[in-house]
Amino acid sequence: MRNTVKIIFLSLLTGVFFIACSKHKTAAMSDSNFANTINTSTPEEARQIALNPQLDCMNTNCSPGVGMLTASENSTAWMCTAFLIGEDIIATNSHCLPKKHDSCKDLVQVFFAGVNGNAAETMQCKDILQISNPQDTVSPDFAFFRTKNKSARAPLPLSNEGLKIDTDYEILKINPIAGSTLHGQFEKTTCHTIDRTALTPNYSNALSPTATVTKCEILHGNSGSPLLGVDQKVNGILQSTLTKNHENYGRWLKLTEKKYIAPLAVVTNFS
């Protein structure tokens, strides 16, 4: 994980990206991966829903660099959260992208609200730069892609300091609003990291590949939300959650002496 994301950091510094692979596979979306979905009758209907979402920014506290990702595949449309890390580079989860395509071109877009002097805009995906291949919902889950157009809005800077244990992090997320369309609303809240939970028993230091957070409400559609430290740099990306109703909760609970009660959420570490 550290070597993979290190390429992203070096690329941001040098202005050159290295594409990890030309063909990828992603883990199937499940209830524990919280992309918000709408099932339709036809692929065309799903595509139109993905192209016509609504994003609300209710106050000036909205981050101009955080947007609502929408996509469609077959007869399903869905939304996630995504964020800008360069003028034409966006970060999100791998499970937020269509899983049967080698490219995201004309399949994925990110909608940004008009805020802080920035006009509302849509950024269409051009090509995938790097993507993880998570084997389950607790493996590192991230994707970076380039967009067709460049944005003048400020990107979110990345941090390689890791996710410290027993620490509060600010999370910037797009919450879904129920209905027949993809409708999201920006929210800023705080999550708290805890170590050696039922979800991530190996989270024992700031450089662990994934971490566990709690004390924050997590909804379908929050996948891809950035976690920011006090320096307002992105330390990690929200990817999945575990509740008592999850089929693997009992198994995970037995893996650790610290039996924290769900709900818990998993974060990919950008260290």
Side-chain angles (χ1 to χ4, degrees), residues 1 3 37 54 62 65 67 71 123 155-156 165 227 236 247 257 259:
M1 174 63 190
N3 290 334
T37 61
Q54 180 179 340
C62 291
M123 300 186 73
L156 275 62
I165 295 170
L227 273 76
E247 60 181 357
E257 295 180 358
K259 299 178 180 179

Side-chain angles (χ1 to χ4, degrees), residues 52-59 62-70 79-82 109-115 119-122 153 173-177 181-187 221:
N52 294 279
Q54 180 179 340
L55 174 59
D56 298 335
C57 181
M58 304 305 293
N59 53 58
C62 291
S63 171
V66 176
M68 176 178 171
L69 180 149
T70 67
M79 63 166 281
C80 282
T81 304
Q109 49 283 317
V110 181
F111 296 85
F112 293 93
V115 62
E121 64 178 324
T122 302
R153 62 184 61 225
K173 58 179 183 167
I174 307 298
N175 291 331
I177 297 176
T181 63
L182 294 176
H183 185 182
Q185 185 175 79
F186 180 90
E187 182 186 9

Side-chain angles (χ1 to χ4, degrees), residues 205-219:
N205 62 77
L207 302 183
S208 297
T210 56
T212 310
V213 295
T214 189
K215 297 183 179 179
C216 53
E217 182 182 30
I218 304 301
L219 303 171

Side-chain angles (χ1 to χ4, degrees), residues 163-169 190-194 203 213 229-230:
L163 290 161
K164 298 177 182 179
I165 295 170
D166 196 25
T167 302
D168 286 339
Y169 287 91
T190 300
C191 291
H192 188 81
T193 54
I194 51 177
Y203 174 40
V213 295
V230 293

Side-chain angles (χ1 to χ4, degrees), residues 1-8 20 24-26 83 85 90-97 128-134 139-145 209-210 224 236-239 267-271:
M1 174 63 190
R2 295 186 66 184
N3 290 334
T4 304
V5 178
K6 184 177 180 181
I7 297 175
I8 292 294
H24 68 278
K25 298 179 181 179
T26 62
F83 55 98
I85 60 173
I90 287 176
T92 189
N93 290 144
S94 61
H95 76 259
C96 289
L97 303 183
I128 298 170
L129 299 173
Q130 287 185 309
I131 191 165
S132 65
N133 182 24
S139 299
D141 185 339
F142 61 89
F144 302 93
F145 63 85
T210 56
I237 181 170
L238 193 66
Q239 68 181 64
V267 180
T268 290
N269 197 340
F270 274 178
S271 63

Side-chain angles (χ1 to χ4, degrees), residues 1-266:
M1 174 63 190
R2 295 186 66 184
N3 290 334
T4 304
V5 178
K6 184 177 180 181
I7 297 175
I8 292 294
F9 282 104
L10 292 175
S11 301
L12 286 172
L13 293 175
T14 61
V16 178
F17 262 92
F18 299 93
I19 300 178
C21 57
S22 59
K23 187 173 183 178
H24 68 278
K25 298 179 181 179
T26 62
M29 288 188 296
S30 68
D31 287 342
S32 56
N33 277 332
F34 24 91
N36 189 52
T37 61
I38 293 179
N39 295 315
T40 67
S41 300
T42 64
E44 292 76 17
E45 183 182 357
R47 184 61 183 152
Q48 286 304 308
I49 288 177
L51 289 172
N52 294 279
Q54 180 179 340
L55 174 59
D56 298 335
C57 181
M58 304 305 293
N59 53 58
T60 57
N61 289 327
C62 291
S63 171
V66 176
M68 176 178 171
L69 180 149
T70 67
S72 64
E73 188 169 40
N74 299 324
S75 299
T76 301
W78 66 87
M79 63 166 281
C80 282
T81 304
F83 55 98
L84 199 67
I85 60 173
E87 61 182 2
D88 60 349
I89 303 165
I90 287 176
T92 189
N93 290 144
S94 61
H95 76 259
C96 289
L97 303 183
K99 58 183 179 292
K100 294 183 179 179
H101 297 276
D102 296 336
S103 171
C104 60
K105 184 179 179 181
D106 298 325
L107 297 169
V108 178
Q109 49 283 317
V110 181
F111 296 85
F112 293 93
V115 62
N116 296 351
N118 297 279
E121 64 178 324
T122 302
M123 300 186 73
Q124 296 279 346
C125 184
K126 179 181 179 181
D127 51 55
I128 298 170
L129 299 173
Q130 287 185 309
I131 191 165
S132 65
N133 182 24
Q135 300 302 308
D136 50 45
T137 56
V138 296
S139 299
D141 185 339
F142 61 89
F144 302 93
F145 63 85
R146 192 188 308 277
T147 58
K148 295 180 181 179
N149 51 315
K150 296 182 178 181
S151 177
R153 62 184 61 225
L156 275 62
L158 303 182
S159 170
N160 61 359
E161 293 184 355
L163 290 161
K164 298 177 182 179
I165 295 170
D166 196 25
T167 302
D168 286 339
Y169 287 91
E170 184 177 75
I171 179 172
L172 308 177
K173 58 179 183 167
I174 307 298
N175 291 331
I177 297 176
S180 59
T181 63
L182 294 176
H183 185 182
Q185 185 175 79
F186 180 90
E187 182 186 9
K188 180 187 297 184
T189 188
T190 300
C191 291
H192 188 81
T193 54
I194 51 177
D195 66 324
R196 303 180 188 277
T197 66
L199 256 180
T200 53
N202 294 324
Y203 174 40
S204 58
N205 62 77
L207 302 183
S208 297
T210 56
T212 310
V213 295
T214 189
K215 297 183 179 179
C216 53
E217 182 182 30
I218 304 301
L219 303 171
H220 288 273
N222 292 162
S223 285
S225 298
L227 273 76
L228 282 62
V230 293
D231 58 0
Q232 290 298 290
K233 293 183 179 181
V234 181
N235 294 78
I237 181 170
L238 193 66
Q239 68 181 64
S240 62
T241 189
L242 173 68
T243 67
K244 289 183 177 180
N245 295 326
H246 194 285
E247 60 181 357
N248 289 325
Y249 179 70
R251 178 175 65 84
W252 276 322
L253 197 62
K254 294 177 182 178
L255 295 178
T256 175
E257 295 180 358
K258 293 187 177 182
K259 299 178 180 179
Y260 289 103
I261 298 174
L264 304 169
V266 181

